[in-house]
């Protein structure tokens, strides 16, 4: 499938009906999603015939893109049932139910002091169960979400036997690269991109804001 064709299909994927600010729910654009999955397959061969996990799948745009690029199986994981309902509607609309499954679950747990940690119960069931992981995690900018982007990335490293593709704020690049190396992974910046944050919540003052993000590819050393 050509890049423009993939982006065209993904433009029809429905987004959040009732986005939740605490979950930092912002839709991944068709432009970004198509380039992430197209690059993962055409440059690295990490999608076609592979088992793929999409962490924090939201409304399913990355999962759908992975399926369209030839993934043998995709599992989308999200904590929000509303987002998963929309994702299932999207999957049904594209008739991709044979390759994409969805599961409701939380990557992270919060203790009584409000500190986040990995949901080890979930991770133990999915350790290295997938060839490739794809994710656009929360940035961790909302109260109570500090470090959630790193926890999502750490979870992906646990679940994937092969490569991980993840979007992160460019300002965190140096820290992320060091952490990935400490986990035993090589970390490559594939592209510097603009993540369009539209006016979705009451506190937004501008029609849209571009956030500088890196597309990272992690692989085991």
């Amino acid at each position: 499938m050509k890049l423009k064709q993939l982006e065209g299909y993904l433009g029809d994927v429905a987004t959040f009906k009732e986005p939740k600010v605490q979950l930092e729910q912002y839709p991944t654009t068709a432009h970004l999603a198509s380039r992430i999955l197209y690059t993962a397959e055409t440059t690295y061969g990490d999608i076609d015939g592979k088992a793929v996990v999409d962490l924090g799948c939201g409304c399913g745009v990355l999962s759908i893109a992975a399926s369209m690029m030839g993934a043998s199986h995709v599992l989308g994981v999200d904590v929000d049932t509303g987002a998963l309902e929309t994702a299932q509607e999207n999957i049904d609309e594209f008739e991709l139910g044979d390759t994409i499954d969805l599961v409701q679950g939380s990557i992270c747990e919060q203790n009584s002091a409000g500190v986040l940690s990995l949901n080890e119960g979930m991770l133990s069931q999915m350790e290295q169960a997938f060839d490739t992981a794809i994710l656009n995690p929360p940035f961790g900018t909302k109260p109570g979400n500090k470090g959630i982007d790193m926890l999502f990335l750490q979870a992906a490293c646990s679940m994937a036997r092969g490569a991980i593709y993840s979007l992160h704020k460019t300002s965190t690049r140096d820290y992320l690269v060091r952490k990935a190396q400490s986990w035993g992974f090589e970390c490559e910046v594939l592209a510097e991109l603009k993540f369009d944050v539209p006016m979705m919540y009451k506190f937004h003052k501008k029609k849209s804001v571009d956030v500088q993000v890196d597309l990272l590819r992690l692989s085991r050393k």
Side-chain angles (χ1 to χ4, degrees), residues 148-206:
I148 195 170
D149 53 337
M150 293 301 302
L151 291 173
F152 265 68
L153 188 60
Q154 190 175 356
C157 289
S158 172
M159 294 181 185
R161 296 183 290 267
I164 297 100
Y165 293 84
S166 189
L167 286 174
H168 294 269
K169 292 177 74 172
T170 299
S171 60
T172 65
R173 178 190 297 174
D174 292 343
Y175 176 71
L176 279 166
V177 171
R178 289 196 303 271
K179 288 296 290 185
Q181 291 173 342
S182 73
W183 298 336
F185 285 79
E186 299 286 355
C187 183
E188 181 182 2
V189 180
L190 299 185
E192 297 180 23
L193 305 165
K194 290 183 179 180
F195 187 90
D196 178 46
V197 177
M199 183 183 284
M200 294 174 58
Y201 301 107
K202 291 181 179 178
F203 64 86
H204 284 160
K205 304 300 182 185
K206 297 181 179 179

Side-chain angles (χ1 to χ4, degrees), residues 72-145:
S72 59
H73 178 244
V74 183
L75 180 67
V77 182
D78 205 281
V79 69
D80 182 35
T81 54
L84 289 172
E85 288 173 2
T86 301
Q88 188 61 59
E89 291 170 3
N90 285 324
I91 292 164
D92 293 342
E93 182 68 23
F94 283 99
E95 300 182 352
L96 296 174
D98 289 345
T99 55
I100 306 176
D101 290 313
L102 301 173
V103 64
Q104 193 272 335
S106 180
I107 304 299
C108 306
E109 299 176 319
Q110 194 171 52
N111 64 20
S112 58
V115 178
L116 290 172
S117 62
L118 288 173
N119 181 349
E120 297 293 350
M122 171 179 282
L123 294 186
S124 65
Q125 300 176 44
M126 299 185 184
E127 186 172 359
Q128 293 195 32
F130 304 90
D131 298 301
T132 304
I134 52 177
L135 58 156
N136 177 17
F139 290 144
T141 57
K142 296 304 170 192
N145 285 356

Side-chain angles (χ1 to χ4, degrees), residues 11-84:
D12 291 331
V13 174
T15 59
F16 300 102
K17 297 175 183 176
E18 297 180 0
K20 298 175 178 62
V21 64
Q22 185 58 36
L23 297 179
E24 300 186 37
Q25 290 180 331
Y26 299 99
T28 306
T29 64
H31 179 82
L32 280 181
S34 60
R35 277 148 184 80
I36 294 169
L37 274 300
Y38 188 83
T39 299
E41 174 51 31
T42 60
T43 303
Y44 298 97
D46 285 329
I47 304 299
D48 188 34
K50 307 291 187 181
V52 177
V53 63
D54 178 5
L55 297 182
C57 66
C59 299
V61 66
L62 293 179
S63 293
I64 289 168
S67 180
M68 288 182 172
M69 290 304 296
S72 59
H73 178 244
V74 183
L75 180 67
V77 182
D78 205 281
V79 69
D80 182 35
T81 54
L84 289 172

